[in-house]
Amino acid sequence: MDNFNKYFKLMSLLFAGLIGFLGFIIVLFYLLKLCSVTLFYIPGFDTFFQLIIIIIPYVIFFLGYYYLHNKIPLSKSKIAAVTGRIFLVAGSLLCTATLILSTLELFGVHKGFLLTFDQYSQYAWIAQVVILFFTALIIASGDAKEKDWMEKNSEKDLVH
């Protein structure tokens, strides 16, 4: 087998893989669309789907808060640990409050504060991202300074 045949076979396999991947994506989207059309004929599924869509981002935020909560004991600075805990409590309370307000809005509670919340709900999301970022920054500021590669290598040489 000469070089032309090897490269032609390789290129045809790559092209067939690309076509197969695109075909898989098209079939997957078609099946998901068929499934979603079928499921929306089930009574109450629309509300269930909207509830799942509302809950997923808050679950992600709560997982972020949980991860940072587990990193607080690793902080060497007590000030960073206390400040990090304060930010985590504030963020968790904000996340819980906005989840409750979003759920009340989904279930059709008509109150003035919910209309205001609906107009400004994106700011609560932004605030949660900022709180997570600053909490991670504060916790990281309390960690010990990381050694550079030269210090690590010199310690390894001393041990051996």
Side-chain angles (χ1 to χ4, degrees), residues 26-44:
I26 290 169
V27 168
L28 181 67
F29 278 131
Y30 177 75
L31 288 175
L32 288 174
K33 183 177 179 175
L34 182 67
C35 184
S36 70
V37 167
T38 305
L39 287 175
F40 278 107
Y41 281 109
I42 298 172

mmCIF file with all atom_site columns, all heavy atoms in Angstrom, residues 26-44:
data_model
loop_
_atom_site.group_PDB
_atom_site.id
_atom_site.type_symbol
_atom_site.label_atom_id
_atom_site.label_alt_id
_atom_site.label_comp_id
_atom_site.label_asym_id
_atom_site.label_entity_id
_atom_site.label_seq_id
_atom_site.pdbx_PDB_ins_code
_atom_site.Cartn_x
_atom_site.Cartn_y
_atom_site.Cartn_z
_atom_site.occupancy
_atom_site.B_iso_or_equiv
_atom_site.pdbx_formal_charge
_atom_site.auth_seq_id
_atom_site.auth_comp_id
_atom_site.auth_asym_id
_atom_site.auth_atom_id
_atom_site.pdbx_PDB_model_num
ATOM 1   N N   . ILE A 1 26 ? -28.350 14.928 13.937 1.00 0.00 ? 26 ILE A N   1
ATOM 2   C CA  . ILE A 1 26 ? -29.645 15.162 13.293 1.00 0.00 ? 26 ILE A CA  1
ATOM 3   C C   . ILE A 1 26 ? -30.678 14.169 13.802 1.00 0.00 ? 26 ILE A C   1
ATOM 4   O O   . ILE A 1 26 ? -31.810 14.553 14.141 1.00 0.00 ? 26 ILE A O   1
ATOM 5   C CB  . ILE A 1 26 ? -29.502 15.090 11.756 1.00 0.00 ? 26 ILE A CB  1
ATOM 6   C CG1 . ILE A 1 26 ? -28.714 16.297 11.259 1.00 0.00 ? 26 ILE A CG1 1
ATOM 7   C CG2 . ILE A 1 26 ? -30.853 15.017 11.066 1.00 0.00 ? 26 ILE A CG2 1
ATOM 8   C CD1 . ILE A 1 26 ? -28.287 16.215 9.814  1.00 0.00 ? 26 ILE A CD1 1
ATOM 9   N N   . VAL A 1 27 ? -30.325 12.901 13.886 1.00 0.00 ? 27 VAL A N   1
ATOM 10  C CA  . VAL A 1 27 ? -31.260 11.883 14.385 1.00 0.00 ? 27 VAL A CA  1
ATOM 11  C C   . VAL A 1 27 ? -31.598 12.147 15.846 1.00 0.00 ? 27 VAL A C   1
ATOM 12  O O   . VAL A 1 27 ? -32.754 12.023 16.259 1.00 0.00 ? 27 VAL A O   1
ATOM 13  C CB  . VAL A 1 27 ? -30.672 10.466 14.184 1.00 0.00 ? 27 VAL A CB  1
ATOM 14  C CG1 . VAL A 1 27 ? -31.464 9.421  14.934 1.00 0.00 ? 27 VAL A CG1 1
ATOM 15  C CG2 . VAL A 1 27 ? -30.621 10.131 12.701 1.00 0.00 ? 27 VAL A CG2 1
ATOM 16  N N   . LEU A 1 28 ? -30.612 12.546 16.641 1.00 0.00 ? 28 LEU A N   1
ATOM 17  C CA  . LEU A 1 28 ? -30.855 12.837 18.059 1.00 0.00 ? 28 LEU A CA  1
ATOM 18  C C   . LEU A 1 28 ? -31.822 14.004 18.212 1.00 0.00 ? 28 LEU A C   1
ATOM 19  O O   . LEU A 1 28 ? -32.770 13.930 19.009 1.00 0.00 ? 28 LEU A O   1
ATOM 20  C CB  . LEU A 1 28 ? -29.531 13.148 18.766 1.00 0.00 ? 28 LEU A CB  1
ATOM 21  C CG  . LEU A 1 28 ? -29.626 13.451 20.250 1.00 0.00 ? 28 LEU A CG  1
ATOM 22  C CD1 . LEU A 1 28 ? -30.059 12.203 21.013 1.00 0.00 ? 28 LEU A CD1 1
ATOM 23  C CD2 . LEU A 1 28 ? -28.302 13.965 20.765 1.00 0.00 ? 28 LEU A CD2 1
ATOM 24  N N   . PHE A 1 29 ? -31.620 15.090 17.453 1.00 0.00 ? 29 PHE A N   1
ATOM 25  C CA  . PHE A 1 29 ? -32.535 16.225 17.526 1.00 0.00 ? 29 PHE A CA  1
ATOM 26  C C   . PHE A 1 29 ? -33.938 15.832 17.069 1.00 0.00 ? 29 PHE A C   1
ATOM 27  O O   . PHE A 1 29 ? -34.933 16.264 17.657 1.00 0.00 ? 29 PHE A O   1
ATOM 28  C CB  . PHE A 1 29 ? -32.026 17.409 16.704 1.00 0.00 ? 29 PHE A CB  1
ATOM 29  C CG  . PHE A 1 29 ? -31.005 18.236 17.423 1.00 0.00 ? 29 PHE A CG  1
ATOM 30  C CD1 . PHE A 1 29 ? -29.828 18.574 16.790 1.00 0.00 ? 29 PHE A CD1 1
ATOM 31  C CD2 . PHE A 1 29 ? -31.207 18.671 18.706 1.00 0.00 ? 29 PHE A CD2 1
ATOM 32  C CE1 . PHE A 1 29 ? -28.876 19.338 17.436 1.00 0.00 ? 29 PHE A CE1 1
ATOM 33  C CE2 . PHE A 1 29 ? -30.269 19.437 19.367 1.00 0.00 ? 29 PHE A CE2 1
ATOM 34  C CZ  . PHE A 1 29 ? -29.097 19.768 18.725 1.00 0.00 ? 29 PHE A CZ  1
ATOM 35  N N   . TYR A 1 30 ? -34.039 15.023 16.039 1.00 0.00 ? 30 TYR A N   1
ATOM 36  C CA  . TYR A 1 30 ? -35.344 14.580 15.568 1.00 0.00 ? 30 TYR A CA  1
ATOM 37  C C   . TYR A 1 30 ? -36.054 13.762 16.644 1.00 0.00 ? 30 TYR A C   1
ATOM 38  O O   . TYR A 1 30 ? -37.242 13.970 16.909 1.00 0.00 ? 30 TYR A O   1
ATOM 39  C CB  . TYR A 1 30 ? -35.203 13.774 14.276 1.00 0.00 ? 30 TYR A CB  1
ATOM 40  C CG  . TYR A 1 30 ? -36.514 13.234 13.792 1.00 0.00 ? 30 TYR A CG  1
ATOM 41  C CD1 . TYR A 1 30 ? -37.455 14.063 13.193 1.00 0.00 ? 30 TYR A CD1 1
ATOM 42  C CD2 . TYR A 1 30 ? -36.841 11.885 13.950 1.00 0.00 ? 30 TYR A CD2 1
ATOM 43  C CE1 . TYR A 1 30 ? -38.670 13.579 12.757 1.00 0.00 ? 30 TYR A CE1 1
ATOM 44  C CE2 . TYR A 1 30 ? -38.049 11.380 13.517 1.00 0.00 ? 30 TYR A CE2 1
ATOM 45  C CZ  . TYR A 1 30 ? -38.958 12.236 12.922 1.00 0.00 ? 30 TYR A CZ  1
ATOM 46  O OH  . TYR A 1 30 ? -40.158 11.744 12.507 1.00 0.00 ? 30 TYR A OH  1
ATOM 47  N N   . LEU A 1 31 ? -35.326 12.841 17.273 1.00 0.00 ? 31 LEU A N   1
ATOM 48  C CA  . LEU A 1 31 ? -35.938 12.017 18.327 1.00 0.00 ? 31 LEU A CA  1
ATOM 49  C C   . LEU A 1 31 ? -36.334 12.857 19.536 1.00 0.00 ? 31 LEU A C   1
ATOM 50  O O   . LEU A 1 31 ? -37.398 12.630 20.127 1.00 0.00 ? 31 LEU A O   1
ATOM 51  C CB  . LEU A 1 31 ? -34.985 10.896 18.746 1.00 0.00 ? 31 LEU A CB  1
ATOM 52  C CG  . LEU A 1 31 ? -34.795 9.773  17.739 1.00 0.00 ? 31 LEU A CG  1
ATOM 53  C CD1 . LEU A 1 31 ? -33.734 8.800  18.234 1.00 0.00 ? 31 LEU A CD1 1
ATOM 54  C CD2 . LEU A 1 31 ? -36.104 9.045  17.494 1.00 0.00 ? 31 LEU A CD2 1
ATOM 55  N N   . LEU A 1 32 ? -35.497 13.825 19.913 1.00 0.00 ? 32 LEU A N   1
ATOM 56  C CA  . LEU A 1 32 ? -35.854 14.692 21.029 1.00 0.00 ? 32 LEU A CA  1
ATOM 57  C C   . LEU A 1 32 ? -37.069 15.555 20.709 1.00 0.00 ? 32 LEU A C   1
ATOM 58  O O   . LEU A 1 32 ? -37.929 15.767 21.569 1.00 0.00 ? 32 LEU A O   1
ATOM 59  C CB  . LEU A 1 32 ? -34.662 15.568 21.419 1.00 0.00 ? 32 LEU A CB  1
ATOM 60  C CG  . LEU A 1 32 ? -33.514 14.856 22.123 1.00 0.00 ? 32 LEU A CG  1
ATOM 61  C CD1 . LEU A 1 32 ? -32.349 15.814 22.328 1.00 0.00 ? 32 LEU A CD1 1
ATOM 62  C CD2 . LEU A 1 32 ? -33.962 14.273 23.444 1.00 0.00 ? 32 LEU A CD2 1
ATOM 63  N N   . LYS A 1 33 ? -37.156 16.033 19.474 1.00 0.00 ? 33 LYS A N   1
ATOM 64  C CA  . LYS A 1 33 ? -38.324 16.827 19.085 1.00 0.00 ? 33 LYS A CA  1
ATOM 65  C C   . LYS A 1 33 ? -39.579 15.954 19.087 1.00 0.00 ? 33 LYS A C   1
ATOM 66  O O   . LYS A 1 33 ? -40.629 16.372 19.585 1.00 0.00 ? 33 LYS A O   1
ATOM 67  C CB  . LYS A 1 33 ? -38.108 17.429 17.697 1.00 0.00 ? 33 LYS A CB  1
ATOM 68  C CG  . LYS A 1 33 ? -39.246 18.310 17.263 1.00 0.00 ? 33 LYS A CG  1
ATOM 69  C CD  . LYS A 1 33 ? -38.988 18.952 15.941 1.00 0.00 ? 33 LYS A CD  1
ATOM 70  C CE  . LYS A 1 33 ? -40.189 19.799 15.574 1.00 0.00 ? 33 LYS A CE  1
ATOM 71  N NZ  . LYS A 1 33 ? -39.993 20.558 14.379 1.00 0.00 ? 33 LYS A NZ  1
ATOM 72  N N   . LEU A 1 34 ? -39.470 14.750 18.584 1.00 0.00 ? 34 LEU A N   1
ATOM 73  C CA  . LEU A 1 34 ? -40.601 13.827 18.586 1.00 0.00 ? 34 LEU A CA  1
ATOM 74  C C   . LEU A 1 34 ? -41.031 13.510 20.012 1.00 0.00 ? 34 LEU A C   1
ATOM 75  O O   . LEU A 1 34 ? -42.225 13.498 20.333 1.00 0.00 ? 34 LEU A O   1
ATOM 76  C CB  . LEU A 1 34 ? -40.225 12.544 17.842 1.00 0.00 ? 34 LEU A CB  1
ATOM 77  C CG  . LEU A 1 34 ? -41.313 11.478 17.703 1.00 0.00 ? 34 LEU A CG  1
ATOM 78  C CD1 . LEU A 1 34 ? -42.425 11.991 16.801 1.00 0.00 ? 34 LEU A CD1 1
ATOM 79  C CD2 . LEU A 1 34 ? -40.708 10.205 17.149 1.00 0.00 ? 34 LEU A CD2 1
ATOM 80  N N   . CYS A 1 35 ? -40.055 13.297 20.880 1.00 0.00 ? 35 CYS A N   1
ATOM 81  C CA  . CYS A 1 35 ? -40.343 12.996 22.279 1.00 0.00 ? 35 CYS A CA  1
ATOM 82  C C   . CYS A 1 35 ? -41.006 14.193 22.963 1.00 0.00 ? 35 CYS A C   1
ATOM 83  O O   . CYS A 1 35 ? -41.964 14.026 23.718 1.00 0.00 ? 35 CYS A O   1
ATOM 84  C CB  . CYS A 1 35 ? -39.058 12.607 22.997 1.00 0.00 ? 35 CYS A CB  1
ATOM 85  S SG  . CYS A 1 35 ? -39.291 12.118 24.699 1.00 0.00 ? 35 CYS A SG  1
ATOM 86  N N   . SER A 1 36 ? -40.503 15.402 22.713 1.00 0.00 ? 36 SER A N   1
ATOM 87  C CA  . SER A 1 36 ? -41.075 16.575 23.372 1.00 0.00 ? 36 SER A CA  1
ATOM 88  C C   . SER A 1 36 ? -42.497 16.848 22.893 1.00 0.00 ? 36 SER A C   1
ATOM 89  O O   . SER A 1 36 ? -43.362 17.216 23.679 1.00 0.00 ? 36 SER A O   1
ATOM 90  C CB  . SER A 1 36 ? -40.195 17.797 23.160 1.00 0.00 ? 36 SER A CB  1
ATOM 91  O OG  . SER A 1 36 ? -40.242 18.216 21.813 1.00 0.00 ? 36 SER A OG  1
ATOM 92  N N   . VAL A 1 37 ? -42.751 16.660 21.601 1.00 0.00 ? 37 VAL A N   1
ATOM 93  C CA  . VAL A 1 37 ? -44.108 16.856 21.088 1.00 0.00 ? 37 VAL A CA  1
ATOM 94  C C   . VAL A 1 37 ? -45.054 15.837 21.718 1.00 0.00 ? 37 VAL A C   1
ATOM 95  O O   . VAL A 1 37 ? -46.170 16.164 22.114 1.00 0.00 ? 37 VAL A O   1
ATOM 96  C CB  . VAL A 1 37 ? -44.120 16.749 19.547 1.00 0.00 ? 37 VAL A CB  1
ATOM 97  C CG1 . VAL A 1 37 ? -45.520 16.633 19.009 1.00 0.00 ? 37 VAL A CG1 1
ATOM 98  C CG2 . VAL A 1 37 ? -43.411 17.949 18.939 1.00 0.00 ? 37 VAL A CG2 1
ATOM 99  N N   . THR A 1 38 ? -44.597 14.616 21.861 1.00 0.00 ? 38 THR A N   1
ATOM 100 C CA  . THR A 1 38 ? -45.418 13.569 22.463 1.00 0.00 ? 38 THR A CA  1
ATOM 101 C C   . THR A 1 38 ? -45.664 13.848 23.940 1.00 0.00 ? 38 THR A C   1
ATOM 102 O O   . THR A 1 38 ? -46.782 13.697 24.432 1.00 0.00 ? 38 THR A O   1
ATOM 103 C CB  . THR A 1 38 ? -44.730 12.197 22.305 1.00 0.00 ? 38 THR A CB  1
ATOM 104 O OG1 . THR A 1 38 ? -44.446 11.986 20.927 1.00 0.00 ? 38 THR A OG1 1
ATOM 105 C CG2 . THR A 1 38 ? -45.599 11.094 22.829 1.00 0.00 ? 38 THR A CG2 1
ATOM 106 N N   . LEU A 1 39 ? -44.637 14.276 24.658 1.00 0.00 ? 39 LEU A N   1
ATOM 107 C CA  . LEU A 1 39 ? -44.782 14.497 26.096 1.00 0.00 ? 39 LEU A CA  1
ATOM 108 C C   . LEU A 1 39 ? -45.665 15.693 26.419 1.00 0.00 ? 39 LEU A C   1
ATOM 109 O O   . LEU A 1 39 ? -46.324 15.705 27.455 1.00 0.00 ? 39 LEU A O   1
ATOM 110 C CB  . LEU A 1 39 ? -43.407 14.669 26.745 1.00 0.00 ? 39 LEU A CB  1
ATOM 111 C CG  . LEU A 1 39 ? -42.572 13.403 26.865 1.00 0.00 ? 39 LEU A CG  1
ATOM 112 C CD1 . LEU A 1 39 ? -41.197 13.735 27.415 1.00 0.00 ? 39 LEU A CD1 1
ATOM 113 C CD2 . LEU A 1 39 ? -43.263 12.381 27.739 1.00 0.00 ? 39 LEU A CD2 1
ATOM 114 N N   . PHE A 1 40 ? -45.700 16.698 25.553 1.00 0.00 ? 40 PHE A N   1
ATOM 115 C CA  . PHE A 1 40 ? -46.517 17.868 25.857 1.00 0.00 ? 40 PHE A CA  1
ATOM 116 C C   . PHE A 1 40 ? -48.009 17.593 25.681 1.00 0.00 ? 40 PHE A C   1
ATOM 117 O O   . PHE A 1 40 ? -48.818 18.438 26.034 1.00 0.00 ? 40 PHE A O   1
ATOM 118 C CB  . PHE A 1 40 ? -46.078 19.077 25.035 1.00 0.00 ? 40 PHE A CB  1
ATOM 119 C CG  . PHE A 1 40 ? -44.903 19.779 25.632 1.00 0.00 ? 40 PHE A CG  1
ATOM 120 C CD1 . PHE A 1 40 ? -43.654 19.675 25.056 1.00 0.00 ? 40 PHE A CD1 1
ATOM 121 C CD2 . PHE A 1 40 ? -45.044 20.506 26.791 1.00 0.00 ? 40 PHE A CD2 1
ATOM 122 C CE1 . PHE A 1 40 ? -42.565 20.305 25.627 1.00 0.00 ? 40 PHE A CE1 1
ATOM 123 C CE2 . PHE A 1 40 ? -43.963 21.144 27.375 1.00 0.00 ? 40 PHE A CE2 1
ATOM 124 C CZ  . PHE A 1 40 ? -42.715 21.039 26.785 1.00 0.00 ? 40 PHE A CZ  1
ATOM 125 N N   . TYR A 1 41 ? -48.377 16.431 25.165 1.00 0.00 ? 41 TYR A N   1
ATOM 126 C CA  . TYR A 1 41 ? -49.784 16.059 25.136 1.00 0.00 ? 41 TYR A CA  1
ATOM 127 C C   . TYR A 1 41 ? -50.235 15.452 26.455 1.00 0.00 ? 41 TYR A C   1
ATOM 128 O O   . TYR A 1 41 ? -51.406 15.246 26.677 1.00 0.00 ? 41 TYR A O   1
ATOM 129 C CB  . TYR A 1 41 ? -50.072 15.081 23.982 1.00 0.00 ? 41 TYR A CB  1
ATOM 130 C CG  . TYR A 1 41 ? -50.194 15.790 22.661 1.00 0.00 ? 41 TYR A CG  1
ATOM 131 C CD1 . TYR A 1 41 ? -49.220 15.669 21.691 1.00 0.00 ? 41 TYR A CD1 1
ATOM 132 C CD2 . TYR A 1 41 ? -51.290 16.594 22.387 1.00 0.00 ? 41 TYR A CD2 1
ATOM 133 C CE1 . TYR A 1 41 ? -49.323 16.327 20.482 1.00 0.00 ? 41 TYR A CE1 1
ATOM 134 C CE2 . TYR A 1 41 ? -51.406 17.259 21.190 1.00 0.00 ? 41 TYR A CE2 1
ATOM 135 C CZ  . TYR A 1 41 ? -50.423 17.118 20.236 1.00 0.00 ? 41 TYR A CZ  1
ATOM 136 O OH  . TYR A 1 41 ? -50.528 17.776 19.050 1.00 0.00 ? 41 TYR A OH  1
ATOM 137 N N   . ILE A 1 42 ? -49.283 15.159 27.347 1.00 0.00 ? 42 ILE A N   1
ATOM 138 C CA  . ILE A 1 42 ? -49.621 14.645 28.672 1.00 0.00 ? 42 ILE A CA  1
ATOM 139 C C   . ILE A 1 42 ? -50.046 15.828 29.532 1.00 0.00 ? 42 ILE A C   1
ATOM 140 O O   . ILE A 1 42 ? -49.321 16.815 29.636 1.00 0.00 ? 42 ILE A O   1
ATOM 141 C CB  . ILE A 1 42 ? -48.413 13.925 29.312 1.00 0.00 ? 42 ILE A CB  1
ATOM 142 C CG1 . ILE A 1 42 ? -48.005 12.725 28.460 1.00 0.00 ? 42 ILE A CG1 1
ATOM 143 C CG2 . ILE A 1 42 ? -48.729 13.498 30.735 1.00 0.00 ? 42 ILE A CG2 1
ATOM 144 C CD1 . ILE A 1 42 ? -46.713 12.077 28.923 1.00 0.00 ? 42 ILE A CD1 1
ATOM 145 N N   . PRO A 1 43 ? -51.221 15.756 30.168 1.00 0.00 ? 43 PRO A N   1
ATOM 146 C CA  . PRO A 1 43 ? -51.673 16.883 30.988 1.00 0.00 ? 43 PRO A CA  1
ATOM 147 C C   . PRO A 1 43 ? -50.716 17.146 32.150 1.00 0.00 ? 43 PRO A C   1
ATOM 148 O O   . PRO A 1 43 ? -50.292 16.237 32.858 1.00 0.00 ? 43 PRO A O   1
ATOM 149 C CB  . PRO A 1 43 ? -53.036 16.427 31.518 1.00 0.00 ? 43 PRO A CB  1
ATOM 150 C CG  . PRO A 1 43 ? -53.457 15.317 30.625 1.00 0.00 ? 43 PRO A CG  1
ATOM 151 C CD  . PRO A 1 43 ? -52.207 14.686 30.094 1.00 0.00 ? 43 PRO A CD  1
ATOM 152 N N   . GLY A 1 44 ? -50.350 18.400 32.339 1.00 0.00 ? 44 GLY A N   1
ATOM 153 C CA  . GLY A 1 44 ? -49.484 18.795 33.438 1.00 0.00 ? 44 GLY A CA  1
ATOM 154 C C   . GLY A 1 44 ? -48.002 18.717 33.128 1.00 0.00 ? 44 GLY A C   1
ATOM 155 O O   . GLY A 1 44 ? -47.188 19.184 33.931 1.00 0.00 ? 44 GLY A O   1
#
